[in-house]
């Protein structure tokens, strides 16, 4: 079992930045691949970014160049640094633990409860 807890969401103006954190417990974090997904009201959950256990990185085209995923194995934490935020980035952001890179959310094994990010225009 893996427990995931996100934090760092909030309200920010367009062009601003936020850093989300996701702390994992219950299993050896360094062996886990970690992803970030988001879900806006009335829309399906969508892939945002993924970092493998070896720190290979993958991004959705919509966030490439603006968001950065990273991990700190000593702190059992994965981060999502979000810069140049746009109103369309408004969503609940979830972290998830998965064995391999995929954009399909149902292939991830564990999920956090999510943190709200709201970007005002």
């Amino acid at each position: 079992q893996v427990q995931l807890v996100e934090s760092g969401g909030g309200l920010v103006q367009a062009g601003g930045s936020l850093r989300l954190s996701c702390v994992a417990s219950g299993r050896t974090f360094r062996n886990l691949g970690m992803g970030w997904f988001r879900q806006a009201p009335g829309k399906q959950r969508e892939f945002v970014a993924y970092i493998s256990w070896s720190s290979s990185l993958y991004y959705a085209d919509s966030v490439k160049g603006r968001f950065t995923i990273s991990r700190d194995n000593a702190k059992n934490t994965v981060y999502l640094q979000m810069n140049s935020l746009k109103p369309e980035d408004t969503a609940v952001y979830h972290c998830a633990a998965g064995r391999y890179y995929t954009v399909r959310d149902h292939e991830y094994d564990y999920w956090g409860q999510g943190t709200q990010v709201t970007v005002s225009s």
Side-chain angles (χ1 to χ4, degrees):
Q1 284 286 343
V2 177
Q3 293 78 45
L4 303 173
V5 179
E6 304 96 333
S7 62
L11 173 64
V12 63
Q13 287 189 329
S17 298
L18 283 175
R19 188 176 81 157
L20 306 183
S21 300
C22 172
V23 179
S25 61
R27 236 180 93 174
T28 306
F29 177 75
R30 65 173 59 87
N31 296 333
L32 295 174
M34 299 296 298
W36 285 97
F37 285 76
R38 66 187 181 186
Q39 188 166 20
K43 294 188 177 181
Q44 289 190 331
R45 188 159 54 188
E46 65 173 356
F47 169 79
V48 175
Y50 179 85
I51 183 167
S52 73
W53 66 270
S54 60
S55 294
S56 295
L57 306 178
Y58 305 87
Y59 295 97
D61 288 343
S62 59
V63 307
K64 206 171 291 184
R66 301 188 297 123
F67 290 11
T68 302
I69 189 171
S70 62
R71 65 190 298 157
D72 185 339
N73 289 338
K75 296 182 178 180
N76 284 4
T77 302
V78 61
Y79 303 98
L80 186 67
Q81 177 67 44
M82 306 185 295
N83 299 329
S84 302
L85 282 161
K86 305 175 182 180
E88 52 263 44
D89 294 318
T90 295
V92 176
Y93 284 70
H94 297 266
C95 67
R99 289 158 287 166
Y100 47 83
Y101 165 61
T102 176
V103 301
R104 293 186 285 268
D105 57 359
H106 65 273
E107 296 190 31
Y108 286 76
D109 300 315
Y110 304 99
W111 290 84
Q113 82 289 348
T115 185
Q116 175 71 47
V117 171
T118 303
V119 184
S120 63
S121 56

